[in-house]
Amino acid sequence: MCGRFTQYPTWAQVHEAMSIIGPRRNLRARYNIAPTTTVEAVRQGEEGREIVPMRWGLVPMWWKKPLKSVPATFNARAETVAEKPMFRDAFKKRRCIIPASGFYEWTGEKGDKQPHLFTAADDAPVLAIAGLWDRWSDPDGEQMLSCTMVVTEPSDWMEPYHDRMPVILDGKQIDAWLDGSAGTEILKPAEESALKEFPVSKRVNKVGNDDDPTLIEEAA
């Protein structure tokens, strides 16, 4: 599964990639995002596409238990996303794109894991990862937006690093995903030429180490 990623595009770069609307704002650069923290997601609003902060880890609107009881929902499997109770309603009605800069996977043995960063092969600033979002209200009525990444089987190139990978959409697929005209048929591995990989500092292994841009530099 994809359990850590980076997100540091500017508002202008997300606008260029996905035609978002609304006032410009400074998007916080994040270099080591872990589940349950806040990320930026693009969804279809009433007047156009908007970028909105959301919890990474989807909480369905029907959830009645405490927030701490929500299982790991930061990833949704492409093969079951249309049927699994946690995700099926959002799949039908509330889709989003998570504009990532890259994502991490690991190799090596337990206790000595080497992180690898995966980014666009052409250095594009935004990877459009397919996602779902939902709106949940706590017992006091306070609302919270949350999201999940859709993950699929790996490409042959990706398989040595992990048995899953995020679904990365291109321009036409972004439109079809957000407007609901596409189904699970587009939730496929990216072309092997779409991504590049390099090892980075093992400081990535520490959750909470998120604001340091040197984390994404290639390790010596």
Side-chain angles (χ1 to χ4, degrees), residues 81-83 87-95 132 179-180:
V81 68
E83 293 86 26
F87 305 120
R88 64 189 178 196
D89 193 51
F91 174 78
K92 294 176 183 177
K93 304 174 184 177
R94 290 177 292 279
R95 298 180 180 182
L132 308 172
D179 68 21

Side-chain angles (χ1 to χ4, degrees), residues 6-10 12-14 16-18 98-103 117-129 168-171 174 193-196 198 216:
T6 65
Q7 194 174 57
Y8 49 86
T10 64
Q13 288 170 331
V14 180
E16 182 177 357
M18 300 181 202
I98 299 175
S101 304
F103 62 93
L117 180 60
F118 296 81
T119 60
D122 61 0
D123 294 320
V126 177
L127 295 174
I129 297 178
I168 300 169
L169 304 179
D170 63 25
I174 290 172
S193 60
L195 297 170
K196 63 181 177 180
F198 49 91
I216 62 173

Side-chain angles (χ1 to χ4, degrees), residues 11-214:
W11 189 97
Q13 288 170 331
V14 180
H15 172 74
E16 182 177 357
M18 300 181 202
S19 301
I20 59 173
I21 63 170
R24 288 175 178 260
R25 61 185 176 91
N26 292 325
L27 304 180
R28 177 186 169 193
R30 310 281 301 282
Y31 301 99
N32 191 16
I33 300 172
T36 75
T37 56
T38 300
V39 303
E40 302 288 346
V42 174
R43 66 177 182 181
Q44 188 66 39
E46 293 183 1
E47 299 181 2
R49 294 176 187 170
E50 55 189 9
I51 187 165
V52 182
M54 299 185 184
R55 174 190 191 266
W56 185 27
L58 188 138
V59 185
M61 63 172 55
W62 48 261
W63 188 256
K64 302 299 183 183
K65 297 179 182 179
L67 183 60
K68 64 181 180 180
S69 300
V70 178
T73 55
F74 53 92
N75 288 166
R77 287 179 174 264
E79 300 89 338
T80 58
V81 68
E83 293 86 26
K84 196 168 184 178
M86 276 285 184
F87 305 120
R88 64 189 178 196
D89 193 51
F91 174 78
K92 294 176 183 177
K93 304 174 184 177
R94 290 177 292 279
R95 298 180 180 182
C96 67
I97 299 290
I98 299 175
S101 304
F103 62 93
Y104 295 106
E105 293 299 349
W106 282 259
T107 57
E109 300 299 323
K110 185 176 180 180
D112 190 32
K113 291 286 189 179
Q114 172 61 58
H116 300 257
L117 180 60
F118 296 81
T119 60
D122 61 0
D123 294 320
V126 177
L127 295 174
I129 297 178
L132 308 172
W133 70 276
D134 215 329
R135 179 184 290 107
W136 176 75
S137 297
D138 68 17
D140 296 325
E142 185 173 347
Q143 293 191 341
M144 181 187 71
L145 301 180
S146 61
C147 63
T148 185
M149 282 184 184
V150 181
V151 295
T152 188
E153 60 188 9
S155 64
D156 290 343
W157 177 79
M158 185 72 194
E159 193 168 14
Y161 301 97
H162 204 276
D163 61 1
R164 309 294 296 177
M165 68 183 297
V167 173
I168 300 169
L169 304 179
D170 63 25
K172 293 181 179 179
Q173 291 175 324
I174 290 172
D175 295 340
W177 178 250
L178 289 178
D179 68 21
S181 60
T184 57
E185 72 279 358
I186 68 169
L187 303 179
K188 304 297 183 183
E191 295 290 333
E192 297 196 359
S193 60
L195 297 170
K196 63 181 177 180
E197 165 276 329
F198 49 91
V200 292
S201 171
K202 291 183 179 180
R203 288 179 291 122
V204 170
N205 297 345
K206 184 178 180 181
V207 174
N209 191 4
D210 187 30
D211 296 325
D212 183 357
T214 67

